[in-house]
Amino acid sequence: MAEDREILREIWEGRLPVCFTLATEEVSTPIAPDPFYLMVPRLTYFPLVTDKVRRHFVRCVVPEKHDNEMWLEFEKFPLKWHYPIGLIYDLLVTNSELPWQITVHFDKYPDNKLLKCPSKDVVESHLMHSLKEADALKHKNHIMALMQERDHKQLWLGLLHDRFDQFWSANRKLMEHSAEDGFRYIPFRLYAPQLTSKPFMQYLVKSIENEKRLTLEDLLQRANLNFESKGPFQVVIHGIDLPLETPLQWISEHLSYPDNFLHLCIRYSSL
């Protein structure tokens, strides 16, 4: 278990260097503000780590926009705050260039592309909803239902304050299973924007079937997509290229995001 804990901690401590820049057309001061650099955890959500970014730039936009909701953009793509940061990077950044260059906006919130996020409470609600959905797949929602309110708070506050031990003291309960059966179904979302117009794919896949431990390759085969049609591909999570023979149960226990889902990105080296 010590080795497992090391893996969990390594994933938890994954960081991305980000360079935030205020959109040129929104600068209202004679001199544009300096960019703001930040190391952000891959596992968290942008609204939980960008308070300092807001304070740095808001003084440089016109006063009537000071109370507007801030939103972020990368190469013309508005960034979905309800996606974990690491997932957004793995989805959108193909050349792995760092620091990640992100544009900050206080104007023209793209309501048609982004959900509103007026407070961190909205992020907490989103996390709890996702955890319940994942637990329904893994344990028919038995674990979340039996957890006390303080356990839910441990999960939220652990993520909010970037405290590994606090988060995992509660999250380990959501990872429990019998050795013979594994999870009932694997909570995952598969992102393949080059192959489908859907934001992601999700379908029922067991961890063990007919006494065989299913692998990442088994999961892909059930997607009914020709992944090789656009050339050699990788399945990436947390910036890691996963071998297709990796057992799904192991991936789910060790590489799930805090929402207990595996967010798997299909990436092509030629695209």
Side-chain angles (χ1 to χ4, degrees):
M1 187 61 204
E3 182 185 336
D4 288 353
R5 191 170 176 81
E6 280 304 302
I7 295 168
L8 297 175
R9 188 175 282 281
E10 284 290 322
I11 295 300
W12 183 272
E13 292 179 354
R15 298 288 187 269
L16 287 166
V18 181
C19 173
F20 295 94
T21 307
L22 183 61
T24 308
E25 67 276 14
E26 296 184 34
V27 176
S28 68
T29 49
I31 300 173
D34 291 335
F36 192 88
Y37 292 86
L38 204 58
M39 288 290 283
V40 297
R42 270 181 159 270
L43 292 182
T44 195
Y45 301 89
F46 272 122
L48 305 188
V49 294
T50 49
D51 284 351
K52 291 179 182 176
V53 178
R54 182 183 182 89
R55 286 197 295 272
H56 179 74
F57 290 121
V58 74
R59 57 194 169 80
C60 297
V61 300
V62 292
E64 55 266 30
K65 291 174 184 165
H66 282 188
D67 294 330
N68 285 8
E69 188 171 332
M70 187 177 82
W71 59 282
L72 307 174
E73 177 187 69
F74 171 69
E75 293 185 350
K76 306 299 182 187
F77 283 95
L79 303 186
K80 297 179 178 179
W81 64 261
H82 62 289
Y83 279 17
I85 293 173
L87 165 62
I88 302 172
Y89 182 85
D90 290 342
L91 261 179
L92 297 182
V93 184
T94 53
N95 58 9
S96 301
E97 186 181 324
L98 294 171
W100 186 9
Q101 303 288 332
I102 288 179
T103 304
V104 175
H105 293 273
F106 290 87
D107 194 19
K108 298 177 182 173
Y109 194 93
D111 300 85
N112 58 334
K113 294 180 180 176
L114 296 182
L115 301 172
K116 284 280 193 178
C117 183
S119 72
K120 291 176 184 173
D121 293 343
V122 179
V123 185
E124 181 181 5
S125 297
H126 169 72
L127 177 68
M128 289 303 140
H129 176 82
S130 297
L131 284 167
K132 287 173 184 174
E133 186 180 346
D135 191 46
L137 289 165
K138 289 194 285 189
H139 310 108
K140 296 186 178 179
N141 206 26
H142 289 168
I143 309 297
M144 282 293 284
L146 289 172
M147 276 183 162
Q148 297 183 5
E149 181 63 26
R150 70 166 180 264
D151 293 314
H152 293 179
K153 281 296 176 190
Q154 289 276 81
L155 291 163
W156 166 242
L157 293 175
L159 179 64
L160 177 64
H161 299 302
D162 192 23
R163 293 174 183 156
F164 172 83
D165 292 324
Q166 184 176 20
F167 178 84
W168 272 98
S169 66
N171 196 54
R172 61 183 173 77
K173 299 174 186 176
L174 295 169
M175 293 296 172
E176 290 173 355
H177 62 89
S178 68
E180 308 81 48
D181 300 330
F183 296 145
R184 183 165 153 262
Y185 295 107
I186 298 293
F188 76 93
R189 287 177 182 153
L190 182 64
Y191 302 79
Q194 305 90 344
L195 300 173
T196 174
S197 58
K198 297 176 183 176
F200 56 80
M201 289 170 287
Q202 197 173 348
Y203 42 93
L204 294 178
V205 178
K206 295 182 178 181
S207 60
I208 299 171
E209 203 167 72
N210 301 324
E211 299 184 2
K212 173 184 179 280
R213 288 189 175 276
L214 298 189
T215 65
L216 183 58
E217 187 169 20
D218 294 315
L219 183 149
L220 295 182
Q221 286 174 351
R222 294 166 193 217
N224 295 320
L225 287 176
N226 183 4
F227 291 102
E228 294 177 342
S229 63
K230 295 192 181 290
F233 69 93
Q234 300 171 316
V235 185
V236 174
I237 186 169
H238 309 302
I240 302 164
D241 174 12
L242 285 177
L244 296 184
E245 65 272 15
T246 314
L248 288 174
Q249 181 67 37
W250 188 93
I251 302 173
S252 190
E253 287 180 52
H254 296 86
L255 302 183
S256 290
Y257 275 84
D259 63 4
N260 275 229
F261 275 85
L262 292 168
H263 293 283
L264 303 164
C265 299
I266 302 296
R267 290 180 62 163
Y268 293 90
S269 53
S270 57
L271 296 178

